[in-house]
Amino acid sequence: MDLTEHFFFNLSLLIVLMFFCVLWVERLNNLLQIQQIAILYFVVSFFLCFAFSYPIHDGFLFDLKNIPLIISGLYMGLGPLLGLLTICIKAFYGINDSFWVTFTLYGVITISLWRLSPVFLKLSSNQRIYFSVGLTFLFSLIQTVLEFLHLPYPKYDLYFAVLFIQPLGVGMIAYFMEEITRTILLRQHLLNSKRLEAVEQMGASISHEIRNPLTAAIGFVQLLQSENISMESRAQYLSIIKKELKSAERVIQDYLTFSKTEDFLTETIHVHDQLMQAVQALQLTAKKKSIKIKTFFSNDLVIIGDKQKFHQCFINIMKNGIEAMPRGGTLTIETESTSSAVNILIKDTGTGMTPDQLVRLGEPYYSTKGNKGTGLGLMVVYSIVSAMNGTIHVESEINSGTTFKFTFPLLSQSLEQIEILENKKEYVLS
């Protein structure tokens, strides 16, 4: 039973190799890359079978190359390639009667696999497994009649290896192929379902947030149609309508920013200047809520990105920090740098967040403000930072405040571009 034991060992190597390929495939989502790994597996398996050929009689070698040949021929259309390799390798050992038997046998096998593959792929999963096993048994039987009947080798060992191990190996690998394919399809279906669910929830949230200001605006438009309305009331109503329409426009703009993050400009951003512009834009709002803004900026730092979206990102974060301090407090904006990165820290002394709230930050339909927010603001922030190859780290504690830490790749600066400031500057805006 030496031949049987040898081939069981060879078959186990093919299974182990497939196991590592499955681990590799699990990390991929691209179907083209998955197909390339499958092709690589069958080619490596083919040569591995040749490497473990077993000498039966007078230099006559037997191996399990039919397993990768048949499976790859049916599933991947590689039958002609591997069949040609088989004939070429056989020719390397000499052109004799054995070569012409191999040429005829594998010529028939190759053509059969090429013609059967399109029909095979239309079958159901179980039918493909049974078909591949039956076809392998048929080819093995033909091979036994043409090549092995005359050999002076223990018949039971030889016939068992040819007629049982080869169909068994094909059946096992075909089963694994079907399961891997089913898993990939299920994973894609699940991802598509999650995306659809997120879009539906986002759409419902956006619809709700737009409907509220529009409903209010429609109500005041109806009041404006009254004949007895005073000029003072008319002006007040128009101001409210304008405010409500701007609120609806802001929700739409946040959604568009999230959905079109690929439309980023690539330009030089001076971090200090952009942050100061955001601070100045929110200074009046901060004063009304008794909030003090402090800025601590390092040397003028430069990164690459879209200025407008960078500005929008930090307007959203600073505004959230201000809204988190209804009783006043301090908003601190600080920058620091390493040899390769820029860190921007936004700290508030507000209400803080729970660990559960921290985990859900950035979800398109989740807001820590309850019914007063859509979650679109932070969703936009996470989207912009990701598009600029940045990262966000958030720390928060209830009643102690929240710290957002943004990290962006640093753009190397020359002396001609900026004047390097050695001392750290402190700006206190009250």
Side-chain angles (χ1 to χ4, degrees), residues 382-398:
Y382 275 82
S383 180
I384 291 172
V385 172
S386 176
M388 293 178 60
N389 298 318
T391 60
I392 303 177
H393 176 71
V394 187
E395 295 181 358
S396 186
E397 187 176 344
I398 293 296

Side-chain angles (χ1 to χ4, degrees), residues 37-141:
I37 293 174
I39 292 173
L40 178 63
Y41 166 76
F42 287 119
V43 173
V44 172
S45 298
F46 182 77
F47 286 104
L48 185 65
C49 291
F50 269 108
F52 282 86
S53 297
Y54 189 89
I56 296 179
H57 176 70
D58 291 339
F60 190 94
L61 302 176
F62 181 42
D63 51 58
L64 293 180
K65 62 180 175 293
N66 284 353
I67 294 177
L69 173 64
I70 293 174
I71 291 292
S72 65
L74 291 174
Y75 280 94
M76 308 292 298
L78 297 180
L81 172 62
L82 298 187
L84 181 61
L85 283 175
T86 301
I87 294 172
C88 291
I89 293 173
K90 186 65 176 179
F92 179 78
Y93 291 97
I95 307 297
N96 49 32
D97 292 340
S98 178
F99 166 78
W100 292 113
V101 172
T102 300
F103 179 84
T104 303
L105 176 63
Y106 282 92
V108 172
I109 292 176
T110 297
I111 295 174
S112 300
L113 293 174
W114 177 60
R115 297 298 298 271
L116 290 172
S117 179
V119 178
F120 172 82
L121 294 175
K122 295 179 181 179
L123 301 176
S124 66
S125 177
N126 289 335
Q127 288 175 335
R128 286 195 292 266
I129 296 174
Y130 297 144
F131 185 92
S132 60
V133 171
L135 187 64
T136 305
F137 181 81
L138 177 61
F139 285 155
S140 299
L141 186 61

Side-chain angles (χ1 to χ4, degrees), residues 240-308:
I240 294 174
I241 291 171
K242 182 179 180 181
K243 179 180 178 182
E244 295 298 331
L245 291 178
K246 282 188 174 181
S247 177
E249 181 186 19
R250 186 166 57 252
V251 173
I252 296 172
Q253 183 59 45
D254 283 347
Y255 173 72
L256 292 177
T257 301
F258 172 73
S259 61
K260 295 185 179 180
T261 53
E262 69 275 9
D263 298 333
F264 266 64
L265 298 176
T266 301
E267 51 191 341
T268 300
I269 299 176
H270 289 264
V271 174
H272 172 199
D273 294 342
Q274 293 301 317
L275 291 178
M276 284 302 300
Q277 290 180 21
V279 168
Q280 291 167 1
L282 294 172
Q283 188 61 40
L284 182 60
T285 302
K287 281 185 177 181
K288 290 180 178 179
K289 296 189 175 184
S290 302
I291 293 171
K292 188 176 184 180
I293 300 179
K294 291 184 177 181
T295 62
F296 298 88
F297 295 145
S298 301
N299 298 340
D300 194 11
L301 305 173
V302 181
I303 62 176
I304 288 293
D306 187 311
K307 287 183 181 179
Q308 190 276 329

Side-chain angles (χ1 to χ4, degrees), residues 93-208:
Y93 291 97
I95 307 297
N96 49 32
D97 292 340
S98 178
F99 166 78
W100 292 113
V101 172
T102 300
F103 179 84
T104 303
L105 176 63
Y106 282 92
V108 172
I109 292 176
T110 297
I111 295 174
S112 300
L113 293 174
W114 177 60
R115 297 298 298 271
L116 290 172
S117 179
V119 178
F120 172 82
L121 294 175
K122 295 179 181 179
L123 301 176
S124 66
S125 177
N126 289 335
Q127 288 175 335
R128 286 195 292 266
I129 296 174
Y130 297 144
F131 185 92
S132 60
V133 171
L135 187 64
T136 305
F137 181 81
L138 177 61
F139 285 155
S140 299
L141 186 61
I142 296 173
Q143 187 178 26
T144 300
V145 173
L146 293 178
E147 294 187 311
F148 302 141
L149 285 179
H150 67 282
L151 294 178
Y153 189 85
K155 301 301 182 183
Y156 293 111
D157 191 12
L158 180 60
Y159 295 162
F160 183 82
V162 177
L163 300 176
F164 178 76
I165 296 181
Q166 288 192 129
L168 173 66
V170 167
M172 293 175 65
I173 295 178
Y175 176 80
F176 293 148
M177 289 280 291
E178 294 297 334
E179 288 300 313
I180 293 169
T181 302
R182 187 180 294 111
T183 300
I184 292 172
L185 293 176
L186 286 174
R187 183 171 62 185
Q188 290 180 334
H189 177 72
L190 180 60
L191 289 175
N192 290 334
S193 297
K194 286 185 176 180
R195 291 192 188 103
L196 181 60
E197 180 183 359
V199 169
E200 290 175 348
Q201 291 174 329
M202 185 188 302
S205 178
I206 294 172
S207 174
H208 172 74

Side-chain angles (χ1 to χ4, degrees), residues 219-238:
F220 283 103
V221 168
Q222 292 173 344
L223 290 176
L224 285 173
Q225 294 175 338
S226 174
E227 297 180 357
N228 300 324
I229 186 173
S230 66
M231 293 300 297
E232 182 179 355
S233 297
R234 183 182 298 274
Q236 181 182 4
Y237 294 164
L238 287 172

